[in-house]
């Protein structure tokens, strides 16, 4: 198998990453219909459609990385794709919210494979700031497509109903997995493979959490993911109920995602010169400031139109911050763990994602028709992340 170009490699990794974003963003326009049809007594429970997927993905990440260290990267992604496709088909036929949530958890389990193992593939081939650069470019590329996911979802809903979104998930997974299987060579040499034993996995996890930098990077990543998922959980109800703009939501979301996608491009351009830790500290500090302004605006006599456009700016920065923090935090945590890249990728992503789901789910359920619960919660998460990153940087000077 001939080696693919760097451009194609970045595009492939971006599409594998996009499995997660597409699985979340395409469901956003469906939340009102799902809530009305499957949970009429409490339509806000439909937000759990998002966090249940995140929970399943977090659980799955604990296993797919170590498994890829044993049997290789490509077979694990194929197994994950099969689980993802099966659960998507089951979700299409589910007749209760509880069953849909179960299918979404299984979907998340399957999506964990491309999300985590693709990162291990990058780590197999690159390291350090160059790895952060590749990941940033991949995040930038995959942001463009999910920007249109709510619009795609709304079109599918309009013509075929919300259940048909699950069918698009199966097509997407088939295409991305086929591309990987036929174009990308296996990156893990047989001589580098490790046996899948519990004691080996436990030793790898213990080695990671004994490293202070890795430990702090995982906690901060949980907080940053919590900020992102909290926004995603609440954004559609805010557009619909707070600002009465449900019909224009897919358009606004697409525009905002495209603008905020430049965060990864900015990070890719400056990370080698500025450094990963400094960028994360700056990003969280700015998030604290903007969230504080949004908190004050939420309780001020500001007109609904002015508050809406302030919310748009804040939403842009929340998504922008994902591009300037996630790749860097992954690289900070992965850098000392190259010899156990699969297990490290799984543990980092697993702990961070489960932690983010645990944070985001209750924040979403706090929605009371205003932007105050969300802005206050994100301010607190950013404050804690800023403090931890400042402590990490101070110790390592």
């Amino acid at each position: 198998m001939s080696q693919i170009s760097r451009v194609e490699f970045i595009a492939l990794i971006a599409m594998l990453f996009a499995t997660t974003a597409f699985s979340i963003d395409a469901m956003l326009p469906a939340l009102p219909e799902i809530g009305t049809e499957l949970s009429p007594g409490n339509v806000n429970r439909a937000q759990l459609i998002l966090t249940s997927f995140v929970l399943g993905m977090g659980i799955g990440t604990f296993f797919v990385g170590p498994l890829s260290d044993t049997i290789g990267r490509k077979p694990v992604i194929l197994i994950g794709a099969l689980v993802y496709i099966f659960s998507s088909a089951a979700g299409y036929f589910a007749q209760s919210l509880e069953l849909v949530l179960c299918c979404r958890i299984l979907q998340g389990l399957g999506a964990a494979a491309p999300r985590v193992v693709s990162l291990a593939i990058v780590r197999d081939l690159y390291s350090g700031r160059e790895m952060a650069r590749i990941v940033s470019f991949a995040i930038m590329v995959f942001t463009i497509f999910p920007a249109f996911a709510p619009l795609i979802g709304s079109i599918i809903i309009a013509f075929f109903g919300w259940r048909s979104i699950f069918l698009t998930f199966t097509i997407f997974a088939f295409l991305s997995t086929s591309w990987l299987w036929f174009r990308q060579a296996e990156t893990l040499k047989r001589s580098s493979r490790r046996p899948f034993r519990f004691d080996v996995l436990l030793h790898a996890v213990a080695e990671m959490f004994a490293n202070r930098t890795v430990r702090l990077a995982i906690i901060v990543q949980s907080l940053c993911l919590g900020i992102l998922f909290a926004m995603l959980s609440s954004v559609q109800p805010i557009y619909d109920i707070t600002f009465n703009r449900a019909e224009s939501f897919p358009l606004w979301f697409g525009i905002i995602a495209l603008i905020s996608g430049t965060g990864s491009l900015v990070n890719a351009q400056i990370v080698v010169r500025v450094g990963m830790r400094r960028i994360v500290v700056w990003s969280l500090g700015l998030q604290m400031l903007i969230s504080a302004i949004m908190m004050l605006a939420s309780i001020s006599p500001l007109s609904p139109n002015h508050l809406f456009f302030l919310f748009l700016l804040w939403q842009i920065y929340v998504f922008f911050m994902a591009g300037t923090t996630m790749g860097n935090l992954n690289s900070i945590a992965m850098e000392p763990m190259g010899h156990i890249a699969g297990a490290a990728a799984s543990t980092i992503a697993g702990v961070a994602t489960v932690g983010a789901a645990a944070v985001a789910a209750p924040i979403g359920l706090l929605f009371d028709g205003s932007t105050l619960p969300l802005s206050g919660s994100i301010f607190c998460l950013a404050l804690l992340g800023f403090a931890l990153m400042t402590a990490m940087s101070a110790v390592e000077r």
Side-chain angles (χ1 to χ4, degrees):
M1 183 180 294
S2 60
Q3 185 173 357
I4 64 176
S5 67
R6 176 176 290 201
V7 172
E8 184 180 354
F9 176 75
I10 292 174
L12 171 59
I13 296 299
M15 189 168 184
L16 292 171
F17 281 178
T19 302
T20 299
F22 185 51
S23 300
I24 294 174
D25 298 343
M27 293 297 298
L28 294 175
L31 296 183
E33 290 194 21
I34 294 175
T36 301
E37 180 179 334
L38 301 181
S39 183
N42 185 1
V43 294
N44 201 37
R45 291 180 65 221
Q47 291 189 31
L48 297 175
I49 292 286
L50 306 181
T51 49
S52 60
F53 175 86
V54 174
L55 176 62
M57 184 172 59
I59 295 172
T61 54
F62 284 107
F63 304 100
V64 293
L67 189 60
S68 76
D69 280 341
T70 300
I71 65 175
R73 313 303 189 200
K74 291 170 66 174
V76 173
I77 292 181
L78 177 61
I79 294 170
L82 292 175
V83 173
Y84 181 89
I85 290 171
F86 169 79
S87 55
S88 297
Y92 178 85
F93 294 103
Q95 296 299 314
S96 69
L97 180 61
E98 289 73 21
L99 286 177
V100 173
L101 294 179
C102 289
C103 292
R104 287 288 283 175
I105 291 174
L106 287 175
Q107 230 185 354
L109 286 169
R115 177 179 182 247
V116 173
V117 180
S118 58
L119 181 62
I121 290 174
V122 177
R123 182 62 185 85
D124 288 339
L125 302 175
Y126 301 94
S127 63
R129 295 185 179 184
E130 187 61 24
M131 176 186 172
R133 183 181 177 88
I134 294 293
V135 172
S136 293
F137 276 125
I139 291 175
M140 178 192 68
V141 174
F142 97 73
T143 300
I144 296 175
F145 178 69
F148 299 100
L151 180 59
I152 294 172
S154 63
I155 293 173
I156 293 172
I157 293 168
F159 286 95
F160 306 104
W162 65 265
R163 295 180 181 276
S164 296
I165 296 176
F166 284 99
L167 299 182
T168 65
F169 293 153
T170 66
I171 297 172
F172 186 89
F174 175 80
L175 292 176
S176 61
T177 307
S178 297
W179 186 6
L180 171 77
W181 193 259
F182 291 109
R183 292 293 296 152
Q184 174 62 52
E186 175 61 53
T187 59
L188 184 65
K189 299 177 181 179
R190 291 191 176 275
S191 59
S192 300
R193 298 184 183 184
R194 301 162 59 93
F196 189 83
R197 299 203 320 264
F198 181 77
D199 60 325
V200 173
L201 177 60
L202 189 63
H203 176 76
V205 172
E207 180 181 349
M208 290 182 62
F209 281 91
N211 187 305
R212 184 178 184 275
T213 297
V214 175
R215 188 168 62 246
L216 288 177
I218 293 173
I219 295 173
V220 177
Q221 187 175 346
S222 297
L223 297 171
C224 291
L225 272 176
I227 290 172
L228 178 62
F229 292 143
M231 174 63 77
L232 286 171
S233 295
S234 299
V235 67
Q236 197 284 330
I238 288 176
Y239 273 80
D240 185 3
I241 299 172
T242 307
F243 298 116
N244 195 27
R245 296 174 183 262
E247 292 184 0
S248 60
F249 166 67
L251 177 62
W252 283 115
F253 189 93
I255 293 172
I256 288 169
L258 287 174
I259 295 172
S260 58
T262 59
S264 297
L265 177 61
V266 170
N267 188 72
Q269 295 299 321
I270 68 174
V271 66
V272 174
R273 183 172 66 256
V274 177
M276 296 176 283
R277 291 168 178 78
R278 189 177 298 174
I279 292 174
V280 175
V281 170
W282 290 353
S283 299
L284 287 167
L286 186 55
Q287 181 62 256
M288 289 166 52
L289 175 62
I290 299 176
S291 297
I293 294 173
M294 193 68 209
M295 286 172 60
L296 294 175
S298 299
I299 58 177
S300 73
L302 205 62
S303 70
N305 284 337
H306 288 119
L307 184 61
F308 175 67
F309 284 105
L310 181 59
F311 175 77
L312 292 182
L313 294 175
W314 181 47
Q315 185 187 346
I316 287 172
Y317 185 69
V318 168
F319 293 165
F320 183 93
M321 193 191 77
T324 59
T325 56
M326 299 313 303
N328 291 328
L329 289 166
N330 261 314
S331 298
I332 291 170
M334 287 285 290
E335 178 61 20
M337 300 292 137
H339 58 294
I340 51 170
S346 278
T347 303
I348 293 167
V351 173
T353 306
V354 171
V359 167
I363 292 175
L365 295 176
L366 285 175
F367 177 67
D368 61 357
S370 76
T371 58
L372 183 59
L374 181 62
S375 57
S377 299
I378 288 181
F379 172 81
C380 293
L381 296 178
L383 174 61
L384 181 55
F386 179 84
L388 292 174
M389 284 303 301
T390 302
M392 179 198 296
S393 300
V395 170
E396 295 179 1
R397 284 194 185 103

